Amino acid sequence: MIKRRLRIALVSPKGPLYRHRGGIFGKSLRYKPLTLPTLAALVPPELGAEVVCIDEGIADIDTGIDVDLVGMTVITGTAPRAYSLAAEFRSRGIPVVLGGPHVTLVPDDAQPHADSVVVGYAEDEWPRLLRDFVRGELKPRYVQAPGLDLARRPPPDRSVLPSSRYLTSNVFEATRGCVHNCDFCVVPAAWGRKPLHRPVGEVVDDIRRQRARQAIFIDLNLIAHKDYAAELFTALVPLRLQWYGLATTLLCDDLPLLDLAARSGCRGLLMGLESISATNLQASSKAFNSPENYHRVVERLHERRIALQGCFVFGMDDDTPEVFLETARFAVDAGIDLPRFAILTPFPGTALYRRLDGEQRILTRNWELYDGQHAVFQPARMTVEQLVRGTESAWKHAYRWSSMASRLRRTAAPWHVALTTNIGYRFYANNLHRFYSCDGWMDPLSAASGRRAEPAPLELVS
Ligand code: B12
Ligand code: SF4
């Protein structure tokens, strides 16, 4: 009898914004994700498995696909889509494994929708699960034990997704986790506060194999461990890369490290500035950010030709209806190259979620709305409508022509790059309402004005 080769489908389900049809991210804003390539590379070679990867951000999924096992990566906003796909596969007798940030934060939410869930990083547990599966011994839950070592892991297999559909495949990961404990952040809640590192030599090898001239680091805080960051930046210098990544404002207090980052080819950083209210920052355990230093942060970056994508969130307890324009004006005045504005999202499993839940301010548990674009909780000093409309008005202010001209005059990015990214964001700012309406929930165009929202029924989880 010929034994059939094991076939595994790895799926990244779509969200309201990040989807193949009707989403807001065109190719120009989309880079190749690392999750599926990382999971594909971890499939034990001795299983001889065939792995098919489907990113619903770029392609439609065929739920009639002939596979033996489906693995899906789940963030909170994509959980309903993941659960509905899982139901379809399972109805055809195909076992489904769920993993990723949402599953790690609230495994009991995902468990009923899967044959097995993987909690935490999967470097050890995914191969273990697959070996159990082929032996017919799949367990309902696999939990990554503490002390994970990222050394000597296979590099992501980027060939599993079609490069032509993404702006770039040169996406890299050096570290995981963060030392800080911001109350809204998924990272300390899901993975703890001990950062993990890939050995610098392995990161450099990965970049060399890709022959990358430009690189994006997806690490949420590249400077979480400063000695590691210094070692990494030093090793990047000879590669003559231009790279983009994420860091905290603390980088600008450490001038030798900032100089080294610039010398290593850093050309753009995303920083969570979050709020121009020190009270807000204090209350969310992010007091290491100080709004009075934000102008200096921009200056120090610009002096080194590093552009700043500065991210703000609205809806913290000290925010009033005045905060939107004040923040947008501040962003323009400070010369932030690409300001971004999100609505505070209490992702389940975070300290923020627990607090708001305790105060009975969570308005819905429809996870699809947990995407940074919807107001899912009752703000303290404004209505839900004001929060949604105000966020949109901040986008519009920051990306109107006069604001753009003011910021572009001082930008650290090459002029054509600054112009095209700003125009892309201007489109985003003016079209957000088209993509907001998962189910009409507080769609800014249809929202009634002024009134405090009544709490919606709590669906999905108790
Ligand atoms: C790159 C990135 C993106 C990219 C690409 C997304 C993608 N599909 O890969 C882009 C820019 C498109 C993006 C968009 C968004 N993102 Co994003 N993103 C990230 C980021 C920075 C890195 C993800 C990554 O590649 N990590 C590297 C891989 C190897 O790690 P991993 O995905 O965690 O996978 C490991 C484990 O989790 C596990 N695992 C994961 N999936 C599975 C599945 C199975 C079957 C198994 C066994 C294991 C497993 O195994 C892997 C190896 O250990 C993370 C933050 C972070 N560091 O995790 C945020 C993060 C995932 N994003 C987040 C959010 C909120 C968003 C947006 C909603 C933001 C927005 N408002 O637009 C959108 C929504 C996108 C969508 N799908 O609809 C949140 C999710 C929080 C949550 N609870 O939902 C995160 C955690 C950031 C944060 N701190 O809040 N994002
Ligand atoms: S500094 Fe950034 S990555 Fe670290 S816990 Fe705070 S928000 Fe999360």
Side-chain angles (χ1 to χ4, degrees), residues 7 39 48 120 148 171 194 225 318 330 332 337 347 433 461:
R7 295 197 79 209
L39 292 170
L148 173 66
V171 179
K194 188 174 176 296
H225 190 297
D318 194 38
F330 179 88
V332 175
D337 301 81
F347 289 109
H433 59 272
V461 292

Side-chain angles (χ1 to χ4, degrees), residues 108-121:
D108 291 343
D109 187 67
Q111 191 82 62
H113 304 279
D115 295 277
S116 182
V117 297
V118 177
V119 181
Y121 298 127

Side-chain angles (χ1 to χ4, degrees), residues 83-95:
Y83 297 165
S84 111
L85 285 175
E88 283 193 50
F89 285 117
R90 296 175 86 199
S91 72
R92 291 180 45 228
I94 301 171

Side-chain angles (χ1 to χ4, degrees), residues 7-31:
R7 295 197 79 209
I8 303 167
L10 289 173
V11 180
S12 179
K14 63 189 168 191
L17 296 174
Y18 186 73
R19 57 170 66 218
H20 176 37
R21 291 174 211 278
I24 203 162
F25 292 120
K27 180 176 167 179
S28 59
L29 289 172
R30 198 188 283 136
Y31 48 84

Side-chain angles (χ1 to χ4, degrees), residues 122-297:
E123 270 65 14
D124 293 333
E125 296 308 309
W126 174 231
R128 196 189 319 276
L129 178 152
L130 290 171
R131 291 188 181 108
D132 285 356
F133 176 71
V134 293
R135 281 200 307 268
E137 293 171 10
L138 184 68
K139 297 181 188 60
R141 190 175 288 196
Y142 293 78
V143 181
Q144 174 63 51
L148 173 66
D149 185 356
L150 289 182
R152 294 173 302 280
R153 303 291 176 176
D157 179 358
R158 296 178 182 80
S159 70
V160 295
L161 291 170
S163 301
S164 61
R165 303 300 309 277
Y166 300 96
L167 177 64
T168 176
S169 302
N170 292 330
V171 179
F172 302 93
E173 187 190 32
T175 66
R176 296 219 183 126
C178 182
V179 284
H180 300 294
N181 201 18
C182 309
D183 76 340
F184 52 82
C185 185
V186 162
V187 177
W191 298 295
R193 292 174 64 185
K194 188 174 176 296
L196 305 177
H197 311 122
R198 290 177 68 199
V200 165
E202 293 185 23
V203 179
V204 169
D205 287 347
D206 196 17
I207 295 171
R208 283 194 199 280
R209 258 191 312 272
Q210 282 288 109
R211 299 176 195 276
R213 308 301 315 156
Q214 294 198 322
I216 294 174
F217 285 99
I218 52 143
D219 315 52
L220 275 175
N221 181 9
L222 254 184
I223 61 155
H225 190 297
K226 285 194 175 179
D227 291 344
Y228 176 87
E231 190 190 338
L232 176 69
F233 298 163
T234 306
L236 294 182
V237 174
L239 301 188
R240 304 169 72 86
L241 275 180
Q242 289 187 334
W243 65 264
Y244 303 83
L246 292 76
T248 62
T249 56
L250 294 177
L251 176 59
C252 297
D253 294 340
D254 185 336
L255 293 185
L257 190 60
L258 181 58
D259 284 334
L260 188 53
R263 247 186 329 120
S264 71
C266 179
R267 289 290 164 266
L269 286 173
L270 182 154
M271 289 182 177
L273 304 179
E274 321 299 2
S275 178
I276 55 170
S277 148
T279 309
N280 275 337
L281 292 163
Q282 189 84 40
S284 48
S285 305
K286 196 154 186 174
F288 63 80
N289 265 7
S290 24
E292 67 269 23
N293 289 342
Y294 288 169
H295 279 86
R296 198 178 69 194
V297 166

